Amino acid sequence: MKITSPIPYGKQYISEDDLNAVQEVLRSTHLTQGPKIQEFEEKFAAYIGAAYAVATSNGTASLHLCTMALNVKNGQKVITTPITFAASANCVRYCGGEVVFADIDPQTYLLDISSVEKLLEAASPGTYAGIIPVDFAGRAVNLEAFKQLATKYNLWIIEDACHAPGGYFIDSKGNKQLCGNGKFADLSIFSFHPVKHIACGEGGMVTTNNLELFKQLNRLRSHGITKGDDQYINSKDFAAGIANAADFPGWYMEMQQLGYNYRLTDIQAALGISQLTRADQGLERRRAIAANYFNAFNEKPFVLNQSGVVEGHAYHLYILEVENRLGLYNYLRQHNIYAQIHYIPCHLMPYYRQQGWNEGDLPNAEAYYRHCISLPMYPTLTDLEQEFVIDTINKFYHA
């Protein structure tokens, strides 16, 4: 069997419905700051099961908005995982906070709650402000357990759910808890990058059940400005003696705090709304692909660990841990299979090494990195293409 077309690790799918949705906006009167934004927010919140959603320009902007809304200050410490995209940590640095990495669970690849608890136990009260767990690869963090820990130490939680829209874990009562539903995290964030489950080109979303945080996020994503007809206006110093918001002229606005332009466009929102209609179909296909990989590589001697078949896993990535990872990576590329590595541990990046982190600080994360490789995973991956990927890996190991 030979397939000559390149097989990437991830890829977007744009349907005719997607194209029609975008064209409809292009023919409308609003390309940005129009009605599609709120429509996307409301439909995404309903899909996730959260009370509120705020659309943003990208996932990194979502993270930055969250740390601003939670008032991260200079010198405050926040705990996160080293196995994530750098933005999960960088958002703390944007606000002047200090990032503290805790090690991962070597079986799940998720932030290890026992490592987090050891950090908290060793610190004086008030040292840490919050925790940023990541639903890495699409596997949902047990946020119920993290919430208990956060409550004990008076911490907030930002859930980085960029890999896991539609993912879930089972709580202590046997109920499904969807990633981003706001039951255990103060804020959750999502990304709509092309390789994600919902592709808008760029884009992000913050979900929450906290009305005050929702209001704050809305202001911060748009320069910190509140318009006179905005239901969330809170200034007591109305201009020109105007007594209430209902009497505000249309031009009146207040910059109440320093914010950013982190807005999504109606073009992207329309694409997101269309993609959301088939999100469950995409999840079903991802889980079928994951099951095929698991069955193909289960008990293979060259496989040290793999993502496996896990209830609630959203499978943004399917990961193998293997011996001779570099050799396999290069061999796959020679056969037009473009696997990827997720991720170089954040604490070993030059920037964070300058903050005092060193090799050997987080042994589980470092061991994982030496062996991990992400296989092609996207809903339009065909059975024939997946079979070619599996056969090529087996040939490399003479399995």
Side-chain angles (χ1 to χ4, degrees):
M1 182 197 326
K2 186 171 179 62
I3 292 180
T4 57
S5 299
I7 303 175
Y9 88 90
K11 184 171 67 174
Q12 76 274 15
Y13 169 58
I14 302 299
S15 70
E16 285 298 319
D17 287 341
D18 294 339
L19 294 172
N20 291 335
V22 170
Q23 289 177 10
E24 182 182 342
V25 170
L26 291 173
R27 295 189 179 98
S28 75
T29 57
H30 288 89
L31 297 187
T32 191
Q33 296 181 267
K36 287 295 179 183
I37 307 299
Q38 185 174 352
E39 182 183 349
F40 186 28
E41 290 170 337
E42 291 175 351
K43 287 182 175 178
F44 189 83
Y47 177 70
I48 294 301
Y52 310 106
V54 178
T56 69
S57 53
N58 53 63
T60 301
S62 295
L63 283 161
H64 189 196
L65 287 173
C66 288
T67 52
M68 287 192 293
L70 291 167
N71 201 27
V72 173
K73 298 183 177 68
N74 285 337
Q76 282 188 323
K77 292 185 177 182
V78 176
I79 300 170
T80 193
T81 171
I83 300 301
T84 185
F85 186 64
S88 307
N90 293 349
C91 62
V92 177
R93 297 295 298 145
Y94 297 156
C95 295
E98 180 181 340
V99 179
V100 178
F101 296 104
D103 214 344
I104 64 167
D105 180 323
Q107 295 304 310
T108 66
Y109 311 144
L110 303 178
L111 183 64
D112 180 25
I113 193 168
S114 63
S115 296
V116 174
E117 190 163 18
K118 287 176 183 176
L119 288 171
L120 296 173
E121 288 174 346
S124 58
T127 299
Y128 291 94
I131 311 171
I132 305 179
V134 177
D135 299 316
F136 173 63
R139 185 166 186 162
V141 172
N142 184 338
L143 286 180
E144 183 180 25
F146 273 97
K147 178 62 175 176
Q148 293 170 356
L149 192 63
T151 299
K152 179 180 177 180
Y153 288 94
N154 193 29
L155 309 174
W156 47 254
I157 295 175
I158 298 172
E159 176 191 11
D160 184 335
C162 285
H163 291 183
Y168 64 87
F169 72 94
I170 304 298
D171 68 16
S172 60
K173 297 181 180 178
N175 299 316
K176 290 183 181 180
Q177 297 294 340
L178 283 167
C179 298
N181 70 3
K183 185 167 182 180
F184 302 108
D186 298 89
L187 296 162
S188 301
I189 70 104
F190 296 86
S191 168
F192 306 130
H193 183 275
V195 297
K196 300 298 198 304
H197 294 62
I198 297 166
C200 298
E202 289 285 358
M205 193 77 77
V206 185
T207 59
T208 185
N209 290 343
N210 186 309
L211 178 59
E212 292 307 312
L213 288 175
F214 173 63
K215 294 177 182 179
Q216 180 83 322
L217 291 165
N218 271 282
R219 285 190 294 271
L220 288 168
R221 75 162 167 187
S222 191
H223 304 283
I225 289 174
T226 302
K227 294 185 177 180
D229 60 354
D230 193 327
Q231 62 178 311
Y232 305 118
I233 194 162
N234 65 2
S235 174
K236 296 179 181 178
D237 300 318
F238 296 149
I242 296 170
N244 57 70
D247 296 330
F248 277 33
W251 46 259
Y252 183 72
M253 63 180 184
E254 296 176 355
M255 180 179 165
Q256 299 175 347
Q257 59 196 123
L258 184 63
Y260 293 80
N261 182 355
Y262 281 165
R263 296 185 296 251
L264 193 71
T265 68
D266 280 57
I267 299 167
Q268 294 163 301
L271 181 54
I273 292 166
S274 180
Q275 294 245 320
L276 190 58
T277 63
R278 60 177 188 275
D280 285 342
Q281 179 183 342
L283 263 177
E284 183 178 353
R285 176 59 183 158
R286 286 175 182 271
R287 287 167 176 159
I289 291 169
N292 290 339
Y293 278 140
F294 174 74
N295 291 332
F297 298 120
N298 189 31
E299 298 184 357
K300 291 283 188 179
F302 59 85
V303 176
L304 306 177
N305 196 12
Q306 60 173 322
S307 291
V309 176
V310 178
E311 182 177 4
H313 204 306
Y315 293 107
H316 168 58
L317 306 172
Y318 194 91
I319 295 166
L320 293 184
E321 286 186 81
V322 296
E323 297 289 0
N324 192 10
R325 188 266 311 275
L326 179 59
L328 175 61
Y329 175 85
N330 289 331
Y331 185 78
L332 290 174
R333 290 178 71 87
Q334 291 167 11
H335 291 80
N336 273 341
I337 299 169
Y338 293 89
Q340 188 54 279
I341 307 303
H342 298 93
Y343 294 96
I344 300 171
C346 284
H347 73 289
L348 298 183
M349 294 290 186
Y351 175 81
Y352 284 104
R353 283 180 180 267
Q354 293 168 16
Q355 312 299 315
W357 292 92
N358 295 294
E359 192 167 352
D361 287 341
L362 301 171
N364 291 342
E366 293 165 29
Y368 160 81
Y369 167 64
R370 287 192 291 270
H371 299 288
C372 67
I373 188 166
S374 300
L375 305 185
M377 169 59 78
Y378 46 93
T380 55
L381 183 72
T382 67
D383 290 343
L384 190 63
E385 288 171 329
Q386 186 179 19
E387 186 179 346
F388 178 63
V389 172
I390 292 167
D391 287 348
T392 305
I393 293 172
N394 283 331
K395 284 178 182 176
F396 175 75
Y397 289 104
H398 308 289

